Structures are given as structure tokens and as C-alpha cells.
Amino acid sequence: MSSNGSKTQQPTLRVIPLGGLHEIGKNTCVFEFGDDLVLIDAGLAFPSDGMHGVNVVMPDTSFLRENQKRIRGMIVTHGHEDHIGGISHHLKHFNIPIIYGPRLALSLLEGKMSEAGVADRTVLQTVTPREVVKLGQHFKIEFIRNTHSMADSYSLAVTTPVGTVIFTGDFKFDHTPVDGEHFDMARLAHHGDQGVLCLFSDSTNSEVPGFCPPERSVFPCLDRRIAEAEGRVIITTFASSIHRVAMVLELAMKNGRKVSLLGRSMLNVIAKARELGYMRCPDDLFVPIKQIRDLPDRETLLLMTGSQGEPLAALSRISRGEHPQVQVKSTDTIIFSASPIPGNTISVVNTIDRLMMLGAKVVYGKGEGIHVSGHGFQEDQKLMLALTRPKFMVPVHGEHRMLVQHARTAHSMGVPENNTLIIDNGDVVELTADSIRKGDPVKAGIELLDNSRTGIVDARVLKERQQLAEDGVITLLAAVSVDGKMVAPPRVNLRGVVTTAEPRKLSMWAEREVNWVLDNRWKQLCRNTGGKAPEVDWIGVQREIEVGLQRRLRRELQIEPLIICLVQPAPAGTPPYKSKAMEEKDDRPAPRHQRNNDRGGDRNNDNRQRRRRSTAVAG
């Protein structure tokens, strides 16, 4: 059963991005026609600063799980993490019958699937340039060689019953590619001549004028920096930037330096690329990191991960003095051959600062000529529009301002304003032979994975982690008898909480909240079953105390720490504790009898807003 909700009677192609819109990363798109669903890429993104303990961010795939019987297969455009990094995770939750893609991308994916234990969940089928594959009854997909920072990359021509759609994937027009594989502009022009219904085009660099420089343009700048270095050369870049890594290895040989690799992804990608013939260099070029110290610094080059300031990456650990094999020297030249992904800038500059403070010479920034983007600038995007001449155009792969600027570029190239759409994740683009519109959206969002990449960090857990980081935690131990009496003073402990309140006052507030719950909520939380002992909802008691203390701290001290209440049950008849808090004046703003009527609503509301773990302690 289709969930499109379309009201038109015309044959309609639905294109549904689940990731990659209004953001950089987790590119995931669905093509739907009739009963057929085809996925194009399934990437991941990296967490923002507030996502404590989160390792990677995935798109919400509820739509795919609900419609998994209709999935006919997946198309992979290239092997970057933001395009294939989510596939292994998704295979644990829904089936994908077959995945078509480039040889290098599928080789990298095969390793990820084996590691995740899902290698038997699908079939991987490599493709060659201009190859056409059929998925379901309605889709034919042609793989068109393009140029990008990743080797073996493709744009797609998707033939459907309503027309041909060009899906560019990540691209730029590099006329001097490092591997000699040129952009197949002739196929784009061919489809342009035949008629392109819609263009879905990469928007990452839509704000940058001109053409994107070719990858080979960084070669002389890197060569000069390596040749001038007096000591070790340390270079960090994206492991998946195969062309860049290949140039670094070529320059190491040219300058008589042995290479050590640091970072798991760097080791894996280079091994796969050499195995498939995308890099050609002798085995003796590489030296294990433990042996590199035996060579003169002038003859060594360290190639590693960490260009984005990732806390656990090799270069970040080196900058903090935490790496077991490598310590920074004043004679080191450290080259950042990458630019920060949006959102990573602070982490990157902090890493650069730490390296400089350790005495290293750090080379970074656009003016140094040591990095070029893999995404086309405005003129590249105009050339794509000129070659394909689409009737409709939808900018994808970028943040909102990038999408808007790309649409303006399309307008300048003759695409009518009414023929472009700015969409978000979950929006549905409905295409007929002569129209484009937004349909009813599907569920979209994010899934957060912890360091194991198996545990989902839900909203409740993330909220608790944010509270711990921002306001700390308060634990409260309350001893309560089964007949509803406080039998000992509550014990209050603070961790990470900054407050001017005296411990005595905090204990007094805790006593008041416990007493209020016992006086006003006990009847609802305790049920007499006719046995010797009543049935008490101890979890409910704990939650009521937590909510009350949370409200008081928010009102009195303007803080919101995570509060964990532990209730220790005591036998009936245990002598009650005479609370001193009740003898002192209650400075709460409303009279007690008035609060009795509205506090329940407030507490229920707070219970919904603040979900916490509550643990009962057996007596």
C-alpha cells in the first residue's frame, strides 16, 4: 500500500529525501513510483557539540521500515561516509535486495557490512560507466562517470514512466582528473537533447563564484611544503579523498620520505584502494609507526586522520599529548589538507592552536593552496544546468542558504521560478510529465547512535546527558515506611551542581517535598489489597518527589540539574522522623491549600517534560 496520499490521477513519480537537506551529511533519497521504491545512497553525519556520547547521526528511516516490502534495491553514487556510512546500520532493520554501485565504494561497504555482521543481508553488484540497471517495474538507472574528490564516482540518469531525472550526486567538473577518468559530459548532453524532466543537483558550494579548481592544482603547493620541511611532515586529510592521498604518496616518493599511516579509516581505505589499483606505490614506501622513530625526521612523512578535529582521531590525540607513539616536535611541519565541514570549525581551530603551542609549524587555510573542494562552484552548477537543460530543478545536498542560492542560479540559466522547489527532509516532490509540486510529507528526523553504533540514543537519554553536562546531578535518598511516614532525614548529594544555597537549606527543601508527597499523594500511590502490607507505587513516589524538588530548584535557584530520587521502603510501624523543615516558615509563593488543587496538573506536566531514570532501592 502506498503512503503517498497523492490526489492526482496522472502517473506520478515521488522523490523523497530523508537526509541531506538543510544540512551537510546523511544523504539519503528515495524514488517511488507505483509499488516500487528505490534508494539512492544512505549516509551518516557527525554529532554536534550538544550530542553528548553520540558517535554518528543517522536519518530516521521509519518510512523505509514501514514500506520495506516495496524496496527493490539501492543505488550508491560513491564511497564517502555521508553517502554509504548508514547502510550497514539500516540493514539491521530492513532488507535491501540488491545494492548497485562503484567498485571502490562497494569494496569499502563490504568491509563495513562484515564488521557489522550484516554481510549476508544483501547482494553487492559493481557497475561500470554507462551501464544501465533495472530495478522494479518502473526504474532504469544509468551510471554516468563524474569527477569528485572520491575516485570512482557517478551521477545518475533515472528513467521513469514520467520522464528522465538526472541525480548529480556529489560532483565538480575536473578537466585534469588525477586518475584520468573524465566527467562523461557527452552522456549528460545526450540526455539534455532527449529531454530531462528534473535535475536534482549538488548545492554544497552554490555560494562560491567561479569554477572549482582541479584536484591536481594542490600538487605543486604540497610539493613545495614537503620539500621545504626541515623535519617530519605530518599531513592530515580525509581518508576517503583517494586522489589527495595518492598525490601525497607520490610526493613522499619524490622527496625521499617513508610513510607511516595513523588512523583506522586511513589504513582501511588505502589498503582497499591499492588492492583495486586506485593507488600504485611500492610496499617498502610504508613503515610501521613503531619503527618510524628509527629513521631521520627529514626522511619521514606521517599521513593520518583528524582533519576535522574529531576527539578520538590520531591528530587530535597527538595535539593533546595522548598518542602513545607520536609526540610533536618543534621541527615538525603539520599540513591540514582539508577544510572544516560546517559545524566542525571550532574543533579544528582548537586542534591547530594546541599544535602551534607545542611548537609545530602548522600550514592551513584557503590561501595556502593545499586543499580544493570536491563540490562544484557556481560555474560548475551552471555547466550542469546547460548540459542537461531540465524542465524542473530541485537543489539538494546543502544547507538552506545553499539551496536558495542554487535555485537562483537555475533561474539565471532559464529555469522558471515556478519550476524549482526548495525542500526539506521528509518533503515529497511529486513529478508528472508536465508538473512539479510538494506532496504530503513523510516522517523524517534523526537517529543518534552511541560509540558502539548499535545503541540508539533516544531523546530522553540525550536530554539527561545535556542536563548532566549543563547543571549536574542531585541524588536524594528518602526512607519511607509502607504506612506513608518519613522515617529518616533525606540524604542529598550534589555532583557538578553550582549553587549558593547552603546544604542545610537543600536538605530542608528535600524534606518538605517528601512530606508534601506523603501528605497529598500517598492515597493515590498506595493501594490496600486486603493483605498484611499495602501495595505501594514506589516509582510513582520517587517521580513525585523528583518533580517537586525540580520545580523548587528552578524557582528558587534558576537551575535544572538532573534529579534522581531513591526511596528506601521501611516496615510499617517504624517510628516517624520529626521533620524540622515543617517547623520553619514555608517561603513558597502560594498557600498550601491553593497549591493542592493545581500542583497535580503541574506535576503531571513536568513528568511529561522531564523523563528520568528512577531506581527503587529494596529495603
Side-chain angles (χ1 to χ4, degrees):
M1 178 179 173
S2 175
S3 59
N4 58 29
S6 176
K7 298 178 181 179
T8 178
Q9 298 302 311
Q10 292 180 278
T12 303
L13 169 69
R14 287 160 38 96
V15 182
I16 310 164
L18 299 178
L21 276 298
H22 294 81
E23 62 185 350
I24 300 295
K26 63 184 180 69
N27 299 291
T28 307
C29 193
V30 182
F31 276 55
E32 175 187 12
F33 193 95
D35 205 38
D36 293 341
L37 292 184
V38 172
L39 280 69
I40 297 181
D41 292 334
L44 55 77
F46 295 103
S48 61
D49 290 339
M51 296 178 179
H52 306 288
V54 174
N55 190 41
V56 293
V57 181
M58 300 284 187
D60 185 323
T61 54
S62 300
F63 174 77
L64 294 174
R65 297 177 195 183
E66 294 166 3
N67 293 277
Q68 60 178 301
K69 292 183 179 180
R70 302 168 54 212
I71 297 174
R72 307 304 179 216
M74 172 182 277
I75 302 296
V76 169
T77 58
H78 67 285
H80 274 149
E81 283 287 280
D82 61 333
H83 289 259
I84 66 169
I87 297 174
S88 298
H89 172 71
H90 299 328
L91 284 170
K92 297 177 182 178
H93 302 286
F94 56 85
N95 292 323
I96 303 173
I98 190 168
I99 300 176
Y100 291 98
R103 193 166 55 129
L104 178 57
L106 295 193
S107 178
L108 296 172
L109 177 58
E110 185 177 23
K112 293 177 184 294
M113 290 169 53
S114 297
E115 185 179 335
V118 293
D120 59 344
R121 301 284 180 89
T122 190
V123 175
L124 301 181
Q125 181 65 53
T126 60
V127 296
T128 55
R130 298 193 177 187
E131 184 173 343
V132 179
V133 301
K134 184 176 181 180
L135 286 173
Q137 297 298 312
H138 303 105
F139 294 105
K140 291 182 180 178
I141 300 99
E142 179 183 355
F143 289 81
I144 300 173
R145 170 70 73 204
N146 73 15
T147 46
H148 183 45
S149 55
M150 180 82 178
D152 210 4
S153 179
Y154 288 99
S155 297
L156 307 173
V158 184
T159 302
T160 75
V162 297
T164 298
V165 174
I166 299 294
F167 192 90
T168 68
D170 293 356
F171 80 96
K172 70 177 185 181
F173 287 99
D174 189 338
H175 303 296
T176 56
V178 174
D179 59 2
E181 294 282 346
H182 290 80
F183 204 132
D184 194 350
M185 298 165 66
R187 288 307 293 171
L188 290 178
H190 166 77
H191 288 291
D193 289 339
Q194 296 297 311
V196 170
L197 176 66
C198 189
L199 173 68
F200 288 80
S201 187
D202 175 14
S203 305
T204 307
N205 279 328
S206 61
E207 299 173 292
V208 186
F211 279 103
C212 183
E215 181 68 25
R216 198 73 185 177
S217 65
V218 305
F219 189 91
C221 297
L222 285 174
D223 189 13
R224 176 170 56 84
R225 290 294 183 179
I226 294 171
E228 292 175 351
E230 298 176 359
R232 295 183 303 184
V233 173
I234 298 175
I235 298 180
T236 182
T237 190
F238 293 107
S240 55
S241 294
I242 301 294
H243 300 321
R244 187 76 48 82
V245 172
M247 285 193 289
V248 169
L249 298 179
E250 181 182 343
L251 288 169
M253 288 188 287
K254 177 184 176 183
N255 288 277
R257 292 179 180 264
K258 297 293 185 181
V259 177
S260 279
L261 305 175
L262 281 84
R264 184 181 178 191
S265 59
M266 187 67 73
L267 289 162
N268 289 343
V269 171
I270 290 179
K272 291 290 186 183
R274 293 184 71 205
E275 177 186 328
L276 297 175
Y278 293 99
M279 293 181 188
R280 294 178 175 83
C281 51
D283 291 341
D284 62 5
L285 175 65
F286 300 97
V287 176
I289 189 62
K290 292 182 179 179
Q291 299 177 18
I292 200 77
R293 65 185 64 183
D294 299 331
L295 298 174
D297 288 350
R298 185 67 181 79
E299 298 175 11
T300 61
L301 185 149
L302 279 62
L303 180 58
M304 64 185 67
T305 56
S307 65
Q308 298 304 301
E310 309 96 311
L312 299 180
L315 188 58
S316 297
R317 294 168 61 202
I318 290 170
S319 73
R320 297 191 300 267
E322 298 173 358
H323 198 280
Q325 280 94 29
V326 181
Q327 289 76 42
V328 173
K329 301 179 181 180
S330 60
T331 55
D332 289 343
T333 298
I334 302 177
I335 301 172
F336 277 73
S337 187
S339 60
I341 294 173
N344 292 348
T345 304
I346 293 176
S347 299
V348 173
V349 297
N350 286 341
T351 301
I352 292 171
D353 282 346
R354 288 194 296 268
L355 293 169
M356 285 184 165
M357 286 187 282
L358 292 171
K361 179 181 180 181
V362 183
V363 183
Y364 66 96
K366 295 180 180 179
E368 297 293 337
I370 52 174
H371 173 69
V372 294
S373 177
H375 301 268
F377 293 178
Q378 287 179 0
E379 295 303 317
D380 298 81
Q381 294 169 353
K382 289 179 182 178
L383 181 54
M384 176 63 73
L385 287 157
L387 290 168
T388 56
R389 289 173 286 163
K391 180 183 292 186
F392 306 110
M393 187 270 185
V394 180
V396 292
H397 296 186
E399 296 173 349
H400 181 74
R401 66 186 186 281
M402 303 170 184
L403 306 179
V404 170
Q405 181 56 52
H406 198 176
R408 290 172 182 164
T409 298
H411 302 158
S412 73
M413 293 294 293
V415 179
E417 290 190 23
N418 291 338
N419 286 13
T420 61
L421 283 182
I422 304 297
I423 57 173
D424 202 351
N425 297 328
D427 284 345
V428 176
V429 178
E430 295 186 345
L431 285 161
T432 68
D434 53 11
S435 70
I436 185 171
R437 64 183 291 270
K438 283 187 186 180
D440 297 331
V442 304
K443 183 180 179 182
I446 59 175
E447 288 183 354
L448 308 177
L449 273 63
D450 64 11
N451 290 330
S452 68
R453 293 204 179 190
T454 56
I456 299 293
V457 181
D458 62 26
R460 177 185 61 83
V461 172
L462 186 63
K463 175 68 174 176
E464 289 177 351
R465 290 178 178 179
Q466 290 169 341
Q467 278 187 283
L468 286 168
E470 294 170 7
D471 289 308
V473 61
I474 293 178
T475 59
L476 187 156
L477 176 61
V480 178
S481 66
V482 293
D483 48 8
K485 304 296 181 184
M486 183 168 59
V487 299
R491 296 177 58 182
V492 180
N493 287 288
L494 284 67
R495 291 291 184 271
V497 178
V498 178
T499 176
T500 57
E502 297 177 356
R504 178 177 171 276
K505 178 166 283 192
L506 290 172
S507 296
M508 180 184 69
W509 287 344
E511 285 185 26
R512 286 180 175 169
E513 296 305 331
V514 173
N515 278 316
W516 192 95
V517 171
L518 297 179
D519 291 344
N520 296 276
R521 290 287 182 266
W522 186 256
K523 290 182 179 179
Q524 292 93 330
L525 297 168
C526 177
R527 186 164 62 93
N528 197 330
T529 58
K532 292 183 179 180
E535 216 174 76
V536 181
D537 179 6
W538 294 111
I539 298 298
V541 173
Q542 291 168 170
R543 287 176 178 165
E544 288 284 347
I545 296 171
E546 288 174 353
V547 170
L549 186 56
Q550 180 68 69
R551 293 176 68 247
R552 179 177 285 275
L553 293 175
R554 186 166 59 233
R555 184 178 67 243
E556 302 285 353
L557 302 176
Q558 291 76 53
I559 59 173
E560 293 191 56
L562 178 67
I563 296 178
I564 301 176
C565 177
L566 310 174
V567 174
Q568 183 172 355
T574 304
Y577 165 70
K578 293 183 180 180
S579 173
K580 295 181 181 180
M582 303 311 295
E583 300 172 4
E584 300 185 17
K585 182 181 178 182
D586 191 340
D587 56 358
R588 282 177 281 194
R592 193 179 187 92
H593 71 275
Q594 179 179 331
R595 292 175 67 236
N596 287 349
N597 295 326
D598 62 9
R599 193 168 181 179
D602 289 342
R603 283 174 175 273
N604 291 335
N605 187 45
D606 282 342
N607 270 327
R608 288 192 295 269
Q609 294 176 357
R610 313 192 58 76
R611 305 177 182 95
R612 301 181 185 81
R613 288 169 292 190
S614 300
T615 305
V617 179

